[in-house]
């Protein structure tokens, strides 16, 4: 009879009966009783009351009974630690049993009993088992060390078990070697800084020898360990590759992928001229193809890994296109993945085959798959120029099917084809326009609107088409609204006389009736561009567009290199590095491919970029000091000059100029047809409610800063305001004295000024201008002194500022050079603004992000400062800083010290992370700052000091 009978009993009073049976003298009865106990335990009954009786049954030679008792012990030791100590003697005894199976069983169970009190008693038996004569016991003991390390790492290190483990790598038995490697890898993963797996050519040789003889999981451990080794030269790399290659023909797909990972990594070190390199490429293809004949779930994992491999080395699978053709019974997740790889492998040689397949897929029933297939045809056109014509005609055939979702996808991809091959396929626009009414998806509508706006001069009724979209403007998605706004402005610049009303209508819809900030800002920009400088508007809106690149969805190269090091793991399926999805205290080590050998690559890899070149991964935060285009000394603050409007690149003061001539003076010479468009400035009503600080914003020097007109608006913050200081004494400015300070309120920066006339004549016609500066500070409106300034009179006013001016790194960083003009002369002065007025309201980082960013910023970017004589407690300090937009992310107490972890963000997007240490009763604080732009740290420290001490 089978053991299932033990699970069917539901008697009451069972525990009492079992107790009696467990203490029976008959061995068979004892065994039956223990089986019943285990069965009850398995179905979730609490049989912990029988702990002492079951432990007594350990004293037996019967291996089956011993296993059952040990199983019980593992389950209940945690809830009964004091009782579990009773079993220690038996472990010690069993570790010296003549039967190696019992010795191994004892050591395995010891590792599974996660009770602190017991661990120290187990060290002696474990030490013996690590040196046992039987390899089965040694391999079990090796894994036990890793388990013990997880419970009590210090104990394992003190007892010298790690050194014993390292010695086991040289063991004569391959399974012992594999388990020792597995245990060391496990320990090293949780302690990335410890150099446990100190591999050298000798130990690598031993691992490779063991590789051929151990089980498949042992092989995976060894291969993963080899992948972390860095060969000293290309000869050693080649020798390892030669010995790993046979693993590619293994039946277990995990072994195959681990071998592929090692080979992909070491191929980086081989020269492409080597015969062996070509041979290796040929050998890599068959195993990858074989993986695709497994069940769908395995196929999917294989395809996700192949996707990475193809991006790194497309030549491996370039002749294997057919295996990626979709089968009718493939699940959708496999189909979509295969489609992606087909595009990556598409080339001139196989494009005819690929297109025939894709056209077939576009008539399938699965909507998601059909959409992806239509997109794929477009991607082929962009990738293989010779096929573009054939792709376009295929897409037109698909549009003729009139299947709604096919038509919409086709229009989206044709837009990209127009971008890639301008002035080549525009003849198809008429066909596209016929399908205008059937479009109901935002992406397709936006693509169609882009086409109409971009090629307005070729479409006779472009204005009617765009007007039809305008009727339901507020019901459209943001994507469509933005596209429509741009398209109508393009149309106006191409056909100004016919479309003036249309453009007025869309601008007022975007600016006055919309509450979407992106749309409103873009509307204001176009309005201001058109009203001040139509030539500049043409240059900006109708600028030459860069051709789109072939592969837009490639993984970024450094991330790709890291993911290649994780082939065969979850990271390679998610296409994300482990630290993006692994939580907890486990240290996740960043891995990267070995640098290429000098002979192997003519193009520079990122690692070997010339010293002067920027590293590429960090954007240049503040441009270096260049030629002073807007140098204040060359400012033309004289009377207005008649002539053509200012070019977009010259120094502009936005919609309001310094000269008092208003907008009209800028409209001196207009291109034909635009001059008579009575284009006023944006309506005055808007200036009060929608954008107080925005309307006078200078037109920046490129599209990048056009769309960031406001620095985020947040809650009212009582940010610290320094008292006014004299910036320009009367003696240097012919009697004009200027004092001032900077403030930040509700997300807006202001310069609070006090102008005093100490001269004998009246002062009028005030204007102000800033030189380029580190953070792009610029006046957001003209300087308005409403009445003439009489002798001995003082006027106080607040000048709104924004941060969309021209940027140039200053020395010191917070230096601001200012020019003020009045009817007497132009005066220059410079002042330092406190950095905290640039701290924005959304500068609070969430904890996980803070932790990840702190680790990610290199240690050399950390700066430490002392803030002395600051008698505040932690709470007050935190509140004071918060009112100036320095946010406390987390707080903890370490050995009596309060640690505040804080974040702040500057207007240009630079994040600064801080750790503030406060010892109660000690007026001196320690501040550590970490930032990707370390030059900011000194000024952030000064801001801390200013805020805390005032």
């Amino acid at each position: 009879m089978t053991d299932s009978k033990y699970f069917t009993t539901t008697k009451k009073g069972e525990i009492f009966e079992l107790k009696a049976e467990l203490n029976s003298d008959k061995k068979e009865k004892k065994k039956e009783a223990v089986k019943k106990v285990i069965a009850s335990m398995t179905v979730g009954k609490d049989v912990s009351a029988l702990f002492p009786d079951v432990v007594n049954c350990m004293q037996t030679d019967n291996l089956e009974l011993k296993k059952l008792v040990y199983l019980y012990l593992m389950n209940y030791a945690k809830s009964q630690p004091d009782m579990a100590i009773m079993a220690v003697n038996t472990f010690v005894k069993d570790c010296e049993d003549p039967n190696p199976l019992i010795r191994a069983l004892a050591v395995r169970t010891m590792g599974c009993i996660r009770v602190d009190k017991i661990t120290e008693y187990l060290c002696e038996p474990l030490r013996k088992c690590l040196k046992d004569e039987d390899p089965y016991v040694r391999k079990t003991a090796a894994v036990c060390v890793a388990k013990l390390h997880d419970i009590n790492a210090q104990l394992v290190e003190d007892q010298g078990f790690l050194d014993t483990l390292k010695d086991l790598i040289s063991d004569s038995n391959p399974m012992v070697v594999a388990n020792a490697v597995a245990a060391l890898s496990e320990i090293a993963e949780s302690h990335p800084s410890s150099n446990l797996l100190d591999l050298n050519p000798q130990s690598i040789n031993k691992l490779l020898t063991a590789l051929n003889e151990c089980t498949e999981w042992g092989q995976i451990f060894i291969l993963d360990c080899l992948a972390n080794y860095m060969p000293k030269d290309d000869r050693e790399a080649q020798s390892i590759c030669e010995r790993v290659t046979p693993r590619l023909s293994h039946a277990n797909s995990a072994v195959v992928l681990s071998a592929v990972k090692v080979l992909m990594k070491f191929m980086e070190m081989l020269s492409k001229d080597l015969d062996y390199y070509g041979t290796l490429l040929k050998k890599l293809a068959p195993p990858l193809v074989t993986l695709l004949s497994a069940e769908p779930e395995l196929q999917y994992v294989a395809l996700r890994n192949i996707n990475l491999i193809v991006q790194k080395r497309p030549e491996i699978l370039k002749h294997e296109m057919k295996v990626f053709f979709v089968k009718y019974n493939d699940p959708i997740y496999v189909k979509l993945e295969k489609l992606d790889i087909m595009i990556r492998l598409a080339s001139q040689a196989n494009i005819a085959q690929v297109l025939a397949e894709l056209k077939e897929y576009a008539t399938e029933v699965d909507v998601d798959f059909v959409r992806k297939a239509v997109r794929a045809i477009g991607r082929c056109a962009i990738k293989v120029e010779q096929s573009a014509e054939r792709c376009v005609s295929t897409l037109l055939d698909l549009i003729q099917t009139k299947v709604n979702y096919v038509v919409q996808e086709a229009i989206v991809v044709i837009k990209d084809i127009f971008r890639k091959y301008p002035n080549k396929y525009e003849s198809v626009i008429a066909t596209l326009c016929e399908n205008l009414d059937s479009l109901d998806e935002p992406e397709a509508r936006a693509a169609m609107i882009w086409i109409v706006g971009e090629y307005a001069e070729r479409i006779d009724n472009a204005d009617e088409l765009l007007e039809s979209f305008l009727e339901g403007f507020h019901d459209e998605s943001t994507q469509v609204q933005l596209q429509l706004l741009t398209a109508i402005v393009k149309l106006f610049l191409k056909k100004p006389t016919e479309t003036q009303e249309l453009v007025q209508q869309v601008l007022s819809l975007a600016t006055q009736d919309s509450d979407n900030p992106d749309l409103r800002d873009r509307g204001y920009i176009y309005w201001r561009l058109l009203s001040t400088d139509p030539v500049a508007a043409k240059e900006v809106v109708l600028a030459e567009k860069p051709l789109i690149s072939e592969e837009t969805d490639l993984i970024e190269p450094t991330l790709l290199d890291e993911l290649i090091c994780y082939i065969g793991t979850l990271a390679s399926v998610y296409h994300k590095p482990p630290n993006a999805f692994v939580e907890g205290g486990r240290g996740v080590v960043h891995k990267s491919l070995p640098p290429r050998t000098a002979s192997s690559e003519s193009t520079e890899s990122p690692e070997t970029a010339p010293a002067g070149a920027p590293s590429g991964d960090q954007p240049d935060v503040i441009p270096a000091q260049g030629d002073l285009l807007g140098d204040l000394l060359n400012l033309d603050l004289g009377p207005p000059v008649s002539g053509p409007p200012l070019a977009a690149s010259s120094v502009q003061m936005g919609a309001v100029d310094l000269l008092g001539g208003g907008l009209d003076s800028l409209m001196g010479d207009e291109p034909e047809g635009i001059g008579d468009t009575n284009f006023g400035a944006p309506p005055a009503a808007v200036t009060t409610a929608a954008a107080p600080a925005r309307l006078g914003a200078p037109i920046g020097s490129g599209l990048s800063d056009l769309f960031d007109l406001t620095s985020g608006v947040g809650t009212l913050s009582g940010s610290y305001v320094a008292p006014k200081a004299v910036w320009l004494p009367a003696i240097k400015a012919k009697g004009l004295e200027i004092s001032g300070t900077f403030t930040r309120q509700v997300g807006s920066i202001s310069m609070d000024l006090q102008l005093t006339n100490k001269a004998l004549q009246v002062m009028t016609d005030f204007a102000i201008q800033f030189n380029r500066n580190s953070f792009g500070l610029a006046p957001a409106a003209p300087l308005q002194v409403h009445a003439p300034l009489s002798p001995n009179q003082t006027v106080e006013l607040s000048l709104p500022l924004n941060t969309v001016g021209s940027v140039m790194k200053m020395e010191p960083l917070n230096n601001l050079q200012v020019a003020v003009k009045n009817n007497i002369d132009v005066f220059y002065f410079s002042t330092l603004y406190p950095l905290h007025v640039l701290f924005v309201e959304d500068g609070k980082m969430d904890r996980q992000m803070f932790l990840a960013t702190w680790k990610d910023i290199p240690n050399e970017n950390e700066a430490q400062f002392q803030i002395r004589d600051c008698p505040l407690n932690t709470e007050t300090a935190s509140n004071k800083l918060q009112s100036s937009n320095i946010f406390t992310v987390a707080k903890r107490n370490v050995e009596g010290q309060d640690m505040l972890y804080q974040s702040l963000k500057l207007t240009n997007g630079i994040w600064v992370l801080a750790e503030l240490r406060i010892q109660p009763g000690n007026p001196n604080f320690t501040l550590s700052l970490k930032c990707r732009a370390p030059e900011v740290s000194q000024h952030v420290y000064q801001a801390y000091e200013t805020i805390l001490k005032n």
Side-chain angles (χ1 to χ4, degrees):
M1 189 174 172
T2 64
D3 287 345
S4 61
K5 63 181 180 187
Y6 300 113
F7 291 93
T8 54
T9 168
T10 52
K11 284 192 304 193
K12 298 279 179 215
E14 229 179 344
I15 299 280
F16 186 72
E17 284 177 27
L18 286 172
K19 201 179 183 75
E21 286 178 29
L22 286 167
N23 293 316
S24 159
D25 298 336
K26 294 181 181 166
K27 280 187 179 177
E28 271 313 305
K29 214 166 187 186
K30 257 188 184 174
K31 193 154 96 179
E32 291 289 299
V34 174
K35 281 187 177 179
K36 285 179 190 169
V37 171
I38 297 291
S40 301
M41 179 179 93
T42 308
V43 296
K45 287 184 187 168
D46 181 16
V47 283
S48 55
L50 298 168
F51 199 92
D53 307 283
V54 177
V55 169
N56 283 338
C57 299
M58 279 172 84
Q59 315 292 344
T60 175
D61 302 332
N62 184 315
L63 188 61
E64 189 184 1
L65 182 55
K66 226 179 207 8
K67 275 186 179 173
L68 290 167
V69 174
Y70 278 172
L71 195 60
Y72 177 88
L73 201 61
M74 282 186 236
N75 202 32
Y76 283 117
K78 204 154 194 182
S79 58
Q80 308 259 356
D82 298 331
M83 295 289 234
I85 291 183
M86 292 164 41
V88 166
N89 283 338
T90 318
F91 281 133
V92 175
K93 237 197 266 169
D94 280 357
C95 283
E96 291 172 3
D97 194 277
N99 182 346
L101 290 176
I102 288 183
R103 297 203 296 276
L105 183 63
V107 83
R108 178 182 292 124
T109 312
M110 279 161 39
C112 294
I113 296 179
R114 303 179 63 79
V115 177
D116 261 346
K117 285 184 181 175
I118 300 183
T119 42
E120 51 207 71
Y121 296 109
L122 306 181
C123 292
E124 243 1 89
L126 179 58
R127 184 174 283 107
K128 285 179 185 161
C129 288
L130 280 167
K131 302 219 162 68
D132 198 281
E133 66 213 16
D134 191 285
Y136 181 72
V137 180
R138 293 202 298 277
K139 88 175 181 68
T140 312
V143 176
C144 186
V145 174
K147 289 180 176 174
L148 199 59
H149 189 274
D150 199 32
I151 305 165
N152 189 340
Q154 199 53 50
L155 181 74
V156 169
E157 284 161 30
D158 296 346
Q159 293 283 344
F161 288 149
L162 294 179
D163 295 328
T164 318
L165 257 190
K166 286 180 191 172
D167 295 342
L168 286 184
I169 288 186
S170 313
D171 198 277
S172 56
N173 183 289
M175 266 323 296
V176 177
V177 175
N179 277 19
V181 167
L184 283 168
S185 304
E186 179 78 14
I187 295 169
E189 229 171 68
S190 53
H191 291 67
S193 50
S194 64
N195 193 12
L196 287 177
L197 274 163
D198 187 15
L199 299 171
N200 52 43
Q202 290 72 34
S203 55
I204 288 293
N205 199 22
K206 288 170 186 160
L207 292 183
L208 287 164
T209 309
L211 186 63
N212 299 323
E213 297 165 42
C214 57
T215 66
E216 49 196 16
W217 296 111
Q219 292 182 26
I220 292 167
F221 289 132
I222 291 177
L223 287 167
D224 287 350
C225 178
L226 286 173
N228 293 330
Y229 175 62
M230 186 69 75
K232 61 179 190 294
D233 55 25
D234 52 349
R235 296 225 353 234
E236 190 185 358
Q238 182 174 337
S239 143
I240 295 173
C241 288
E242 282 167 355
R243 294 177 69 178
V244 167
T245 311
R247 298 299 111 214
L248 291 173
S249 50
H250 201 285
N252 184 324
S253 48
V255 176
V256 174
L257 282 176
S258 290
V260 168
K261 169 167 61 184
V262 175
L263 297 172
M264 285 291 289
K265 204 169 169 187
F266 290 173
M267 275 170 86
E268 285 292 305
M269 298 186 70
L270 301 179
S271 162
K272 286 190 173 180
D273 311 332
L274 279 179
D275 292 344
Y276 179 69
Y277 182 87
T279 315
L280 198 51
L281 285 180
K282 286 196 188 97
K283 283 184 178 169
L284 274 169
L288 293 172
V289 170
T290 309
L291 290 176
L292 297 183
S293 51
E295 49 269 35
E297 292 78 9
L298 277 179
Q299 276 189 55
Y300 178 71
V301 173
L303 286 164
R304 292 293 282 173
N305 281 280
I306 288 170
N307 200 326
L308 295 174
I309 293 165
V310 166
Q311 287 184 54
K312 184 72 188 164
R313 298 199 183 283
E315 62 270 30
I316 293 176
L317 288 161
K318 68 179 176 193
H319 300 306
E320 304 292 344
M321 175 63 88
K322 276 197 171 146
V323 296
F324 298 106
F325 285 176
V326 171
K327 297 189 180 78
Y328 75 96
N329 57 351
D330 280 339
I332 181 70
Y333 55 89
V334 171
K335 284 180 175 175
L336 296 176
E337 213 46 52
K338 281 184 171 178
L339 208 49
D340 214 25
I341 295 169
M342 278 170 68
I343 311 299
R344 297 205 192 288
L345 291 175
S347 64
Q348 208 177 329
N350 56 25
I351 194 75
Q353 250 182 332
V354 174
L355 273 181
E357 275 291 303
L358 292 176
K359 195 170 179 182
E360 198 69 32
Y361 301 161
T363 57
E364 291 263 348
V365 286
D366 193 317
V367 177
D368 282 343
F369 181 51
V370 172
R371 284 174 179 280
K372 184 112 180 187
V374 177
R375 291 245 165 158
I377 295 173
R379 280 174 62 189
C380 283
I382 288 165
K383 187 173 181 194
V384 185
E385 188 167 348
Q386 292 75 5
S387 74
E389 199 150 328
R390 194 182 291 159
C391 291
V392 172
S393 64
T394 307
L395 289 168
L396 287 176
D397 292 348
L398 291 172
I399 288 175
Q400 297 309 338
T401 62
K402 299 291 181 197
V403 177
N404 193 318
Y405 54 86
V406 175
V407 172
Q408 310 214 50
E409 285 297 332
I411 286 177
V412 173
V413 296
I414 286 177
K415 179 199 80 170
D416 289 342
I417 294 174
F418 285 170
R419 282 287 307 275
K420 176 72 177 171
Y421 309 112
N423 305 321
K424 210 164 176 189
Y425 300 109
E426 282 76 4
S427 53
V428 307
I429 292 175
T431 317
L432 303 184
C433 291
E434 289 165 18
N435 294 283
L436 207 64
D437 300 334
S438 63
L439 307 181
D440 52 17
E441 289 170 18
E443 200 176 357
R445 288 172 78 82
M448 193 64 225
I449 290 167
W450 182 88
I451 291 169
V452 175
E454 188 67 18
Y455 302 104
E457 69 279 12
R458 301 172 190 229
I459 305 171
D460 300 335
N461 60 340
D463 48 347
E464 289 168 29
L465 296 178
L466 291 177
E467 202 166 352
S468 67
F469 283 105
L470 206 54
E471 285 157 14
F473 187 76
H474 288 302
D475 305 326
E476 299 284 7
S477 70
T478 308
Q479 184 183 6
V480 178
Q481 289 177 334
L482 287 166
Q483 203 55 269
L484 193 51
L485 172 62
T486 304
I488 291 177
V489 172
K490 282 180 184 172
L491 177 65
F492 170 71
L493 289 167
K494 291 173 181 180
K495 303 180 178 177
T497 45
E498 302 142 51
T499 51
Q500 193 179 334
E501 272 179 39
L502 192 60
V503 79
Q504 288 277 17
Q505 191 185 346
V506 77
L507 285 175
S508 102
L509 280 170
T511 54
Q512 286 165 289
D513 305 348
S514 167
D515 53 6
N516 179 320
D518 289 345
L519 184 63
R520 239 183 15 223
D521 287 357
R522 194 182 289 192
Y524 279 126
I525 287 199
Y526 287 154
W527 197 314
R528 219 167 292 147
L529 268 173
L530 293 169
S531 59
T532 54
D533 191 349
V535 175
K538 237 177 178 168
E539 282 175 16
V540 170
V541 182
L542 302 179
E544 189 86 357
K545 283 159 204 62
L547 299 183
I548 57 176
S549 66
E550 292 174 7
E551 298 272 356
T552 47
D553 60 342
L554 286 176
I555 293 175
E556 191 261 325
T558 47
L559 174 58
L560 180 62
D561 287 354
E562 187 176 351
L563 291 176
I564 292 288
C565 302
Y566 286 109
I567 283 177
T569 67
L570 257 184
S572 68
V573 178
Y574 286 153
H575 288 188
K576 289 177 181 173
N579 56 347
F581 58 87
V582 176
E583 285 189 359
R586 286 273 157 132
V588 176
V589 194
H590 276 288
K591 297 185 180 181
S592 58
L593 293 177
R596 279 206 155 282
T597 51
S599 62
S600 67
E601 205 61 292
S602 54
T603 54
E604 285 174 333
S605 69
E607 290 87 356
T608 57
S615 63
D617 46 354
Q618 301 298 333
D620 198 348
V621 203
I622 299 168
Q625 197 148 349
D627 56 328
L628 272 172
L629 240 185
D631 195 311
L632 288 172
L633 303 172
N634 304 331
L635 282 183
D636 182 5
L637 292 166
V641 188
S642 62
L646 297 170
S649 60
S650 65
V651 180
Q652 292 196 346
M653 285 305 297
V656 184
D657 66 349
L658 292 182
L659 321 170
L663 297 174
D664 308 322
S665 64
L666 285 174
M667 298 288 284
D669 253 11
E670 295 124 342
E672 187 195 347
I674 299 186
D676 46 35
T677 62
N678 178 15
F679 239 116
V686 183
T687 58
T688 52
R694 233 185 284 156
L695 271 173
I699 294 163
S701 56
L703 277 176
S704 54
D705 52 6
L706 279 181
F707 298 110
D708 183 19
L709 282 175
T710 55
S711 44
V713 176
T715 52
L716 177 66
S717 60
S719 180
Y720 165 71
V721 181
K724 286 195 179 87
V726 176
W727 287 342
L728 182 67
I731 195 163
K732 288 188 177 173
K734 301 183 181 173
L736 173 64
E737 184 184 276
I738 301 179
S739 311
T741 184
F742 294 85
T743 64
R744 183 183 185 91
Q745 289 285 243
V746 204
S748 302
I749 309 168
S750 306
M751 183 192 252
D752 289 354
L753 295 169
Q754 181 176 304
L755 309 180
T756 306
N757 181 355
K758 296 192 173 177
L760 298 173
Q761 67 188 91
V762 174
M763 294 181 180
T764 58
D765 302 336
F766 285 91
I768 191 165
Q769 194 158 336
F770 293 177
N771 196 359
R772 294 195 289 173
N773 53 80
S774 306
F775 294 88
L777 274 179
L783 184 62
Q784 292 182 331
V785 182
H786 293 297
L789 196 59
S790 310
N792 294 323
Q793 189 187 350
T794 296
V795 63
E796 297 212 346
L797 41 98
S798 185
L799 176 72
L801 307 180
N802 60 29
T803 51
V804 297
S806 297
V807 175
M808 182 184 73
K809 190 172 178 182
M810 300 296 285
E811 202 51 60
L813 209 58
N814 57 340
N815 188 16
L816 180 65
Q817 297 173 341
V818 184
V820 172
K821 161 197 174 263
N822 63 11
N823 57 333
I824 299 171
D825 204 345
V826 180
F827 310 104
Y828 304 96
F829 65 91
S830 68
T831 177
L832 300 178
Y833 48 93
L835 212 62
H836 67 261
V837 299
L838 303 174
F839 297 174
V840 297
E841 283 64 22
D842 62 348
K844 185 165 187 177
M845 223 180 229
D846 75 89
R847 289 178 177 215
Q848 293 299 98
M849 190 68 184
F850 182 98
L851 210 64
T853 312
W854 185 277
K855 285 181 186 165
D856 209 18
I857 297 175
N859 287 338
E860 53 266 36
N861 284 20
E862 187 171 345
Q864 216 172 54
F865 305 94
Q866 289 291 324
I867 300 173
R868 302 189 182 282
D869 308 319
C870 185
L872 301 177
N873 64 18
T874 310
E875 198 62 35
T876 318
S878 176
N879 292 342
K880 252 188 163 185
L881 292 166
Q882 177 134 352
S883 67
S884 289
N885 296 337
I886 299 174
F887 299 93
T888 301
V889 175
K891 172 184 168 186
R892 63 186 181 130
N893 189 291
V894 181
E895 300 173 347
Q897 268 196 75
D898 285 331
M899 317 275 266
L900 295 181
Y901 297 96
Q902 300 177 314
S903 70
L904 62 96
K905 183 171 146 192
L906 294 164
T907 49
N908 60 356
I910 295 177
W911 284 91
V912 181
L913 308 187
E915 179 197 72
L916 186 63
R917 271 181 262 168
I918 301 176
Q919 180 97 37
N922 181 351
N924 299 338
F925 299 175
T926 305
L927 175 68
S928 301
L929 296 174
K930 254 191 167 188
C931 175
R932 292 198 193 284
E935 57 267 41
V936 171
S937 297
Q938 177 67 32
H939 301 280
V940 173
Y941 151 66
Q942 286 164 2
Y944 262 78
E945 206 164 29
T946 308
I947 295 162
L948 290 170
K949 291 188 177 179
N950 291 289

